[in-house]
Amino acid sequence: IIPILEYVIKNDIAMEINTSGIGTSFGVLMPENWIIKKFKEMGGHIITLGSDAHAPENVLKGFDDTIKTLKEYGFDGYYYYENRKKIKMEI
């Protein structure tokens, strides 16, 4: 994992946090919290959020709790892309 995180950070690539595991038998974010925390500790800051929603009621599922987790780990925002342009959402 560490070499992958190093590559992602060095190349200014976003890491997506997928919330679809919340409320399921998995019960965790993907990647897991320890990887998100390590990403931040190593200097990573570009985070995007995704829910893999296949039904309208699952759009944004788990985002509120995930944003709280990001703040606890020291992130001050997350990003989305519009026309390949990175846009920051402040926490």
Side-chain angles (χ1 to χ4, degrees), residues 19-33:
T19 63
S20 65
I22 296 174
T24 68
S25 59
F26 294 117
V28 296
L29 294 171
M30 295 177 275
E32 293 180 27
N33 286 29

Side-chain angles (χ1 to χ4, degrees), residues 20-63:
S20 65
I22 296 174
T24 68
S25 59
F26 294 117
V28 296
L29 294 171
M30 295 177 275
E32 293 180 27
N33 286 29
W34 73 268
I35 296 172
I36 300 165
K37 189 174 183 179
K38 189 66 170 173
F39 178 72
K40 177 63 177 166
E41 290 170 356
M42 293 173 64
H45 68 280
I46 306 172
I47 294 283
T48 62
L49 303 178
S51 62
D52 276 350
H54 295 273
E57 62 270 15
N58 291 329
V59 173
L60 302 176
K61 179 182 174 185
F63 277 33

